Amino acid sequence: MYSSSRPTSSDQQPQSMELGKYENKRLNKVMGMVELHSKNPDNGVIRVDLKILLQKLFGKLNQYEIPAENAFLVGGGASYVLNPRCSYSDIDISIPVSLSNTYKSARTIFAFIMKAVLELIQELSHAVRDPMSYLQKAIRIEQNVRTNYWSLFALRNEEGRHVELKFVLSIPREFIFFSDSIEIDLTNFAKKNCVTKEKKSEKENHVPIAIGSNQKAEDAEPTGSDDEKKEYLPSRISSSYKDLRKAVSDVKSRRIDTVEPNMIRGGGFLKYAHLKTKGFVDSRDGQDLEKLLEGMVSGFLSEFNESKYDVLSQYMRNHFDTHHFPKKFKFLDELRSLCCHLEKFNIKDAMETRIERIHEEELGKMAILRATNRHAIVMPLLDADDGFDYSSDAAHPFFPYLYAINWKFPFFLF
């Protein structure tokens, strides 16, 4: 797989570690049962173990001789495996594709990939006529095989936990922040590499100090769906950034840091605000932080001005469930507080106007939900504990504007 962001120096640090006992348990939880929903209400719900889905997918890829040998869990799911305080929505699986051992063109390979994904959906859904209805989105980027050539298929889940399959021949940059660079190898799941439990070595059961396993993970131990006598070999973790220990440390401490933010599409500015609402903290301060923010805003500026879409609305559609209003409002509130950094780029007023417009739109959606539900609607705020009693009717400190006189709709709607 081509990449302009992965380092190539021979003196770089080791880029692979074995996950420990508790990380592997959380990985099995992420890769457990999922539900996939069709946009067509006449189609049934697909319930499948993600490990089985991955095995069936690789069977289809092999059938069409698609050169894909590995799969990696990335994004929020990978962060959760390392730190259960990190929340995730989509389950992002990256599958590198290579042209080195094939006579097929990139266009032909990616056409077969789409065919394989649609056939997989048909198999899982017992031959529905419209497998595309199970896709929340399907994207193919074909700019240049060496710099930007990939496709993505988001298998739809009504609660927003889509399964995103990303096939990558090349991509300009594999991570936004260091914490996004974590990759967990799923090849043992895809290839069904198992070992009998009693023959598993003591070394394979250890919890590596370098990864920093959280012992509290036992409290949320997932129920495994593996065979009673066998289990998958432990997975390994790597990073698309040059320093794996730095990436792991940032996930463990929930810190925000990156390099060359101006080279990121969109600058990472919206994701920065999103991470702040999840309890992430700045790794830098003072002038270093100002320089980082300036780089992010610079990258965001080109996206803000050049995109034919409303990038803010598009980001919210892609990252928030439809009815998670408190999370949306908290994100918009964080963005509003960051608008001061946009002033020198002359987009502060335009951004504030968009924030207020989306604010009004979301309040309108809440009003519709209020009108169609006779019972109380309790909407989750954060996955982390923030010390607030959500069973009370008190105003949450993050949302005073929902109780202000000029707003019509309270947090709990009756």
Side-chain angles (χ1 to χ4, degrees), residues 6-15 242:
R6 189 182 291 275
T8 58
S9 62
S10 59
D11 60 345
Q12 63 181 303
Q13 297 184 27
Q15 285 297 289
K242 62 183 178 182

Side-chain angles (χ1 to χ4, degrees), residues 183 193 222 371 377:
E183 301 173 334
N193 296 331
I377 303 167

Side-chain angles (χ1 to χ4, degrees), residues 6 59 71 75 161 188 191 252 264 304 319-320 370 401:
R6 189 182 291 275
R161 183 147 290 178
N188 289 332
K191 304 295 179 66
K252 286 294 180 180
I264 305 171
F304 187 84
H319 293 86
F320 294 93
R370 177 192 186 188
Y401 42 80

Side-chain angles (χ1 to χ4, degrees), residues 119-165:
E119 286 185 2
L120 172 67
I121 294 173
Q122 285 188 308
E123 180 180 337
L124 295 175
S125 62
H126 305 292
V128 294
R129 295 183 177 180
D130 54 343
M132 288 289 290
S133 67
Y134 284 90
L135 295 178
Q136 179 69 15
K137 58 184 175 182
I139 302 170
R140 187 190 296 183
I141 302 298
E142 300 178 324
Q143 291 185 3
N144 186 301
V145 294
R146 287 191 169 273
T147 58
N148 200 12
Y149 208 106
W150 53 273
S151 65
L152 181 143
F153 303 91
L155 306 181
R156 185 172 180 268
N157 175 273
E158 286 183 347
E159 296 180 355
R161 183 147 290 178
H162 311 305
V163 178
E164 295 199 349
L165 305 173

Side-chain angles (χ1 to χ4, degrees), residues 148-377:
N148 200 12
Y149 208 106
W150 53 273
S151 65
L152 181 143
F153 303 91
L155 306 181
R156 185 172 180 268
N157 175 273
E158 286 183 347
E159 296 180 355
R161 183 147 290 178
H162 311 305
V163 178
E164 295 199 349
L165 305 173
K166 189 172 186 178
F167 298 86
V168 181
L169 177 61
S170 60
I171 197 166
R173 180 164 170 145
E174 296 174 270
F175 64 92
I176 297 178
F177 300 108
F178 295 150
S179 57
D180 303 319
S181 69
I182 296 296
E183 301 173 334
I184 298 178
D185 195 346
L186 302 177
T187 307
N188 289 332
F189 293 151
K191 304 295 179 66
K192 206 173 182 179
N193 296 331
C194 297
V195 63
T196 51
K197 291 182 180 179
E198 52 268 27
K199 290 186 179 181
K200 212 177 167 197
S201 69
E202 183 179 341
K203 180 182 177 182
E204 289 172 315
N205 280 300
H206 84 301
V207 184
I209 297 176
I211 294 295
S213 301
N214 189 329
Q215 299 293 326
K216 293 182 179 179
E218 290 180 301
D219 299 338
E221 196 169 307
T223 56
S225 57
D226 299 337
D227 187 282
E228 288 185 2
K229 295 183 179 180
K230 293 197 173 188
E231 60 187 351
Y232 292 95
L233 288 169
S235 296
R236 298 189 70 82
I237 179 177
S238 58
S239 171
S240 52
Y241 176 58
K242 62 183 178 182
D243 189 341
L244 174 59
R245 295 182 186 278
K246 164 67 173 171
V248 170
S249 175
D250 277 10
V251 172
K252 286 294 180 180
S253 55
R254 296 200 294 174
R255 291 197 302 265
I256 305 173
D257 199 3
T258 191
V259 291
E260 299 181 333
N262 56 304
M263 302 300 292
I264 305 171
R265 182 175 175 83
F269 182 69
L270 297 181
K271 182 157 189 175
Y272 173 82
H274 196 178
L275 288 178
K276 294 285 279 187
T277 67
K278 293 182 177 183
F280 278 69
V281 297
D282 294 309
S283 181
R284 308 185 190 187
D285 56 19
Q287 290 298 316
D288 284 343
L289 177 58
E290 287 298 320
K291 186 176 180 180
L292 177 66
L293 285 167
E294 185 173 323
M296 287 193 291
V297 173
S298 177
F300 176 69
L301 179 65
S302 59
E303 180 78 355
F304 187 84
N305 290 333
E306 296 172 11
S307 177
K308 61 181 179 181
Y309 305 106
D310 181 342
V311 291
L312 178 54
S313 296
Q314 189 176 38
Y315 183 91
M316 293 185 67
R317 282 195 300 271
N318 291 338
H319 293 86
F320 294 93
D321 187 50
T322 305
H323 295 153
H324 282 182
F325 297 109
K327 290 185 178 182
K328 292 179 182 179
F329 288 129
K330 184 169 174 57
F331 171 68
L332 292 173
D333 207 31
E334 183 67 35
L335 266 183
R336 186 183 288 108
S337 71
L338 293 171
C339 279
C340 59
H341 299 285
L342 305 177
E343 193 159 12
K344 67 179 292 186
F345 293 90
N346 298 319
I347 58 171
K348 178 177 180 287
D349 293 341
M351 189 63 175
E352 287 181 338
T353 300
R354 291 192 188 186
I355 290 172
E356 294 304 323
R357 175 178 58 78
I358 294 174
H359 222 282
E360 293 283 352
E361 290 174 357
E362 294 301 324
L363 285 168
K365 292 175 185 176
M366 275 209 313
I368 295 173
L369 200 61
R370 177 192 186 188
T372 55
N373 286 271
R374 297 179 60 187
H375 303 289
I377 303 167

